[in-house]
Amino acid sequence: MPVWRGYGNVSGRATLIGAGLTVLWLFMLLIFWLTAGDAGSGPGRWVSVVAALMPLGLIWLAVGLARAVDELREEAVSLRAALEHSVLRKEPPRNAAAQGVSAPAASPMPRPAQTAPARTVPHPSLPRAAATAAASEPDLRQTSLGFDAPEPVELPTQTVIRALNFPDGPNDREAVAALRDALRDPDHARLIRSAQDVVTLLAERGIYTDDLAPEPTDARAWRRFAEGQRGQAVSGVGTVRDPEIIEAATAAMRADDVFRDAVHHFLRLFDRSATALLPRLSDDEIFWMADTRSARAFMLMARASGLFGQDG
């Protein structure tokens, strides 16, 4: 929030005090010159003029410094607000108990594993023939211009999972560091930004991922998902089954083309990234990953989109 520029802030008070001191000093000089007679004539008069003006210069120098400090403070507040709003953007929790979703206590963290190259998997909503044709066509967009694509960054699975849950605020240093590392990888950066968009859009519609109550995670269903199975075979992935929330999410997609496009883009990115990540996860890490805000948004919107079958 911008600071009001008036007499209620530092620069306003400094200006008011400086003006008051200036008036007081000029009044004192006027009294001195009226009572001094001829004492101020000759060269001594110039000395007295300089001596009279120096305090005024010091007064307004101090006022200028106070105003500069106030402006720097305003810029710091604005930068902090921009960081919290855009870089660490997530849905506002509805209550304090909803904050801080962390790894389950029964899920000890194994040692980090090296990241395998992500492999592209067609989205289940695409026709098989179209997906096959898209996979067979070479991508000439960058090579034709002579640009080098950003190299992927190898990340520990713990870092990826923490980034998928987003930080709970600037003080969540571990999650902030994981998010910063994940954003250095182009594929993870696209997924995380897309997930943040969807989570924020859901929150604007009164649907908060922190408030969702998924059923227990089925690690075997997630592994079938990683193997490329879709539909009823992976219905256990979509453990968000609240009919009212699913209906609200479905209605929001039908009513808002921008929201629907953002959801479809997110589903494709999560499908591809999860398929590459899951083979490297233990069951405990799958339970943790499935409880992140990104995974909850995926389970809800995938079920709302009918990706798990009609009666999954």
Side-chain angles (χ1 to χ4, degrees):
M1 177 180 294
V3 181
W4 178 70
R5 293 183 176 273
Y7 294 123
N9 58 14
V10 175
S11 62
R13 292 195 299 271
T15 302
L16 183 61
I17 293 172
L21 291 176
T22 299
V23 172
L24 178 61
W25 180 251
L26 292 176
F27 178 76
M28 293 172 61
L29 290 178
L30 179 62
I31 298 297
F32 172 76
W33 281 332
L34 291 177
T35 59
D38 295 334
S41 61
R45 185 176 185 85
W46 294 105
V47 175
S48 64
V49 169
V50 173
L53 295 179
M54 284 183 63
L56 295 178
L58 293 175
I59 290 172
W60 288 103
L61 178 61
V63 171
L65 290 175
R67 293 173 64 88
V69 170
D70 196 34
E71 291 176 359
L72 288 175
R73 184 181 294 109
E74 292 182 29
E75 291 180 3
V77 172
S78 299
L79 287 174
R80 181 181 179 88
L83 174 66
E84 294 178 356
H85 180 70
S86 24
V87 178
L88 304 177
R89 180 177 47 178
K90 67 180 184 68
E91 82 278 21
R94 298 177 69 179
N95 50 61
Q99 296 183 356
V101 178
S102 58
S107 302
M109 292 306 306
R111 295 180 63 84
Q114 296 300 319
T115 302
R119 50 193 178 93
T120 303
V121 176
H123 189 263
S125 64
L126 294 176
R128 183 176 299 274
T132 303
S136 62
E137 288 186 4
D139 188 358
L140 302 178
R141 289 175 294 178
Q142 293 289 1
T143 55
S144 62
L145 296 176
F147 295 150
D148 292 331
E151 294 183 1
V153 178
E154 293 186 356
L155 296 172
T157 55
Q158 297 175 352
T159 299
V160 177
I161 295 174
R162 287 192 179 98
L164 289 174
N165 195 47
F166 315 138
D168 291 316
N171 295 328
D172 190 358
R173 297 180 180 177
E174 195 172 45
V176 169
L179 181 63
R180 185 183 300 112
D181 291 340
L183 290 176
R184 293 190 293 111
D185 179 82
D187 290 335
H188 288 120
R190 283 191 291 269
L191 171 61
I192 290 170
R193 292 190 178 104
S194 178
Q196 288 176 329
D197 288 340
V198 170
V199 168
T200 301
L201 290 171
L202 284 171
E204 291 175 355
R205 289 156 177 80
I207 302 174
Y208 300 89
T209 55
D210 284 349
D211 291 345
L212 300 178
E215 297 175 0
T217 301
D218 185 351
R220 292 174 299 178
W222 279 101
R223 297 201 182 279
R224 290 193 297 270
F225 184 87
E227 294 169 357
Q229 300 185 43
R230 296 296 182 266
Q232 288 288 341
V234 294
S235 178
V237 169
T239 55
V240 176
R241 300 177 185 270
D242 189 315
E244 293 184 1
I245 294 180
I246 294 173
E247 178 59 30
T250 303
M253 284 196 297
R254 291 173 180 170
D256 191 335
D257 293 341
V258 174
F259 177 57
R260 182 173 63 251
D261 291 343
V263 167
H264 289 167
H265 179 62
F266 165 63
L267 293 178
R268 286 193 294 269
L269 293 177
F270 191 96
D271 183 311
R272 183 177 62 189
S273 297
T275 301
L277 178 66
L278 284 166
R280 300 164 39 227
L281 301 183
S282 65
D283 284 356
D284 288 334
E285 287 179 310
I286 290 178
F287 297 149
W288 183 18
M289 187 274 293
D291 200 33
T292 62
R293 295 181 176 105
S294 295
R296 288 185 176 205
F298 172 77
M299 292 186 290
L300 170 62
M301 302 316 301
R303 187 163 292 285
S305 300
L307 301 185
F308 299 130
Q310 296 297 326
D311 55 348

